[in-house]
Amino acid sequence: MTALPHPSPTIRARGCSETDVLKERGQREVFCGLTGIVWLHRKLQDAFFLVVGSRTCAHLIQSAAGVMIFAEPRFATAIMEERDLAGLADANEELDRIVAQLLERRPDIKLLFLVGSCPSEVIKLDLARAAARLSQAYMPRVRIINYSGSGIETTFTQGEDACLAALAKELPQAEDDDRSLLIAGALSDVVEDQFRVIFHNLGITNVAILPPRRCVALPSVGPATRFLLAQPFLRDTARALEERGAKHVPAPFPFGAEGTTEWLRAAADSYHVDTQRFDTVVAAPRARARKALKPHRLRLSGKRIFFFPDSQLEVPLARFVWQELGMSPIEVGTPYLHRQHLIQELALLPSDIVLSEGQDVDKQLDRCRRGNPDLVVCGLGLANPLEAEGIATKWSIELLFTPIQGYEQAGDLAELFARPLNRRARLEV
Ligand code: SF4
């Protein structure tokens, strides 16, 4: 087994948990929370996402979803026309009519999300009230829940947080002594299945996932529920689960061999799993992950990397590239820094990086150019101009759409960072 290049003990002890955060509140270049529908609709197979928005919102989701064509799609936009926006039409009546048509045509829908957008927010359409009214009308056939994906209120991954927080409030109540482990955060099915096998081998049996694949199987939650976050952007979801009595199990995030081990260890410790059993269960997949990382580490070690704030995955990913690939983060930007959920990741980062929250895009571009990184992780809007300046980029959205959590995906995750550099090297040759 090959030892991983760990940061020096002095740096490791301090990490950047106490590093001053550069807070920026200028212009930002981030998608809105509607984007989350693209991966959530694939996960929740009996749910439907009805965006109450404009043609712009419809275009955003269609283009983010790319060429995916379904015989029966699981998202759509109820387009608000000029008459609605000018207050000339009763938007509630229009919405009721569209929902009635949709549910008549699609009896397979068991859960309907009414998703707010900038236009619905601007005209102050009360979607919570509409969801309550419609839920009553269609009970018990369909459950109707609302959340906001508007660009005024949410960035990119906050859409998933808002969706899961809304769902968390609807979960059935568990008995006080009904012990369970809840994994919060949308994971691809393959990753979910791998984790289930490992939890089973650890003897942790009552494991549920939020969101579940089918909403008819919503997990129950109560004081004996322990929850582990699979994604770092779930602040409101965590709060909603805590309000239901569940207890958060603090852990790093399951990226790479080490992140995955520590994430699983946190769950195992909360279930008092014997250390020897834990080591035995994780030994083989951990060794496979380390082996898969090795060639990428040889290629990437020492490369400088700059993260623009986009997905909120930036801090755990920076930890992964630093700890497991030997890359050097220059700046790690994130739209929001939830210190409480990131404390263990921050402790593993070097203390001499710039840690920034929010964005002032021009100033950040200047810092990026001055830093002269080998690789920049950023949103789509910044990637093309930076590439044109000769800087290799990785689209952060790809890190959301690709299965990257867990041992078996460690090599694929590293490959995502290596690919832009390999491509650029080929072009230079
Ligand atoms: Fe644009 Fe707002 Fe619609 Fe998002 S919700 S696509 S930011 S109009």
Side-chain angles (χ1 to χ4, degrees):
M1 194 177 291
T2 318
L4 287 166
H6 281 295
S8 77
T10 10
I11 289 176
R12 231 190 135 169
R14 272 180 316 187
C16 72
S17 344
E18 286 160 26
T19 300
D20 285 342
V21 179
L22 174 63
K23 299 203 178 201
E24 304 215 277
R25 296 289 178 264
Q27 191 197 336
R28 60 186 194 195
E29 299 269 343
V30 187
F31 281 129
C32 68
L34 294 187
T35 326
I37 294 171
V38 176
W39 61 89
L40 286 168
H41 87 274
R42 287 192 224 168
K43 190 76 214 171
L44 277 151
Q45 293 164 14
D46 50 0
F48 194 96
F49 293 81
L50 183 64
V51 177
V52 184
S54 62
R55 289 184 197 283
T56 310
C57 309
H59 284 143
L60 173 93
I61 306 178
Q62 284 295 347
S63 47
V67 292
M68 284 186 296
I69 310 263
F70 294 101
E72 291 290 7
R74 289 196 293 272
F75 61 86
T77 309
I79 294 183
M80 302 172 70
E81 304 288 356
E82 304 244 316
R83 271 164 42 79
D84 303 300
L85 297 172
L88 297 175
D90 185 331
N92 278 300
E93 272 177 26
E94 294 279 300
L95 185 59
D96 289 7
R97 188 178 55 77
I98 290 171
V99 168
Q101 279 174 355
L102 174 69
L103 295 180
E104 192 184 306
R105 202 166 47 78
R106 296 285 302 275
D108 56 307
I109 298 171
K110 301 284 180 269
L111 174 64
L112 175 64
F113 288 103
L114 300 181
V115 189
S117 67
C118 303
S120 66
E121 210 172 292
V122 166
I123 66 159
K124 305 219 178 303
L125 181 57
D126 190 342
L127 287 181
R129 188 177 285 187
R133 180 181 69 241
L134 288 162
S135 259
Q136 213 165 21
Y138 292 97
M139 195 160 340
R141 204 197 106 197
V142 190
R143 191 190 295 251
I144 301 175
I145 303 176
N146 76 293
Y147 74 88
S148 173
S150 122
I152 302 168
E153 285 191 347
T154 59
T155 62
F156 196 10
T157 48
Q158 279 182 299
E160 176 178 333
D161 189 23
C163 174
L164 297 192
L167 210 47
K169 292 176 187 151
E170 300 288 318
L171 300 180
Q173 186 64 35
E175 298 292 330
D176 284 3
D177 57 354
D178 188 6
R179 189 133 198 239
S180 65
L181 178 66
L182 182 67
I183 309 300
L187 294 169
S188 69
D189 291 352
V190 61
V191 174
E192 198 182 301
D193 292 343
Q194 290 163 7
F195 283 145
R196 279 189 186 280
V197 171
I198 295 178
F199 286 128
H200 174 81
N201 292 343
L202 289 171
I204 303 174
T205 47
N206 197 1
V207 180
I209 314 272
L210 183 72
R213 293 182 200 183
R214 304 195 75 81
C215 70
V216 282
L218 283 182
S220 49
V221 64
T225 306
R226 299 285 173 276
F227 71 91
L228 199 54
L229 295 176
Q231 301 285 13
F233 44 76
L234 298 176
R235 185 191 59 173
D236 292 353
T237 306
R239 194 179 298 147
L241 289 170
E242 280 164 351
E243 280 167 8
R244 300 290 311 273
K247 313 262 179 329
H248 177 220
V249 178
F253 291 87
F255 297 133
E258 309 313 309
T260 303
T261 301
E262 294 314 311
W263 186 77
L264 290 167
R265 194 192 304 280
D269 286 350
S270 78
Y271 272 74
H272 307 294
V273 176
D274 180 59
T275 311
Q276 202 178 347
R277 180 175 188 174
F278 179 81
D279 290 342
T280 307
V281 168
V282 303
R286 188 185 197 186
R288 279 199 297 278
R290 286 178 163 185
K291 191 173 169 202
L293 289 172
K294 194 177 171 189
H296 299 294
R297 193 167 63 248
L298 290 173
R299 171 82 179 88
L300 293 170
S301 184
K303 299 285 183 205
R304 291 150 55 79
I305 184 166
F306 191 107
F307 288 86
F308 277 82
D310 202 51
S311 64
Q312 293 192 56
L313 294 175
E314 292 84 5
V315 171
L317 289 177
R319 191 278 309 157
F320 165 72
V321 300
W322 153 252
Q323 185 190 26
E324 305 197 33
L325 298 175
M327 297 181 83
S328 298
I330 306 171
E331 175 162 339
V332 181
T334 178
Y336 302 100
L337 188 71
H338 303 314
R339 220 172 248 286
Q340 199 193 337
H341 293 165
L342 292 170
I343 198 79
Q344 301 189 20
E345 299 281 3
L346 290 169
L348 290 167
L349 277 170
S351 56
D352 57 352
I353 59 167
V354 175
L355 191 59
S356 64
E357 183 187 30
Q359 190 165 39
D360 191 328
V361 71
D362 289 329
K363 285 188 193 164
Q364 199 168 30
L365 279 167
D366 288 344
R367 289 199 300 279
C368 176
R369 290 179 185 118
R370 277 201 303 276
N372 193 25
D374 298 291
L375 181 65
V376 168
V377 180
C378 60
L380 294 173
L382 293 177
N384 278 349
L386 288 170
E387 286 280 344
E389 291 177 30
I391 299 173
T393 61
K394 164 57 43 200
W395 294 350
S396 51
I397 199 165
E398 242 186 294
L399 295 152
L400 254 305
F401 290 168
T402 314
I404 54 170
Q405 293 86 356
Y407 290 126
E408 311 305 336
Q409 285 62 238
D412 296 342
L413 175 56
E415 163 79 24
L416 287 174
F417 293 97
R419 207 179 295 151
L421 295 177
N422 293 341
R423 191 188 59 222
R424 192 159 281 273
R426 279 199 303 275
L427 287 175
E428 279 163 11
V429 168

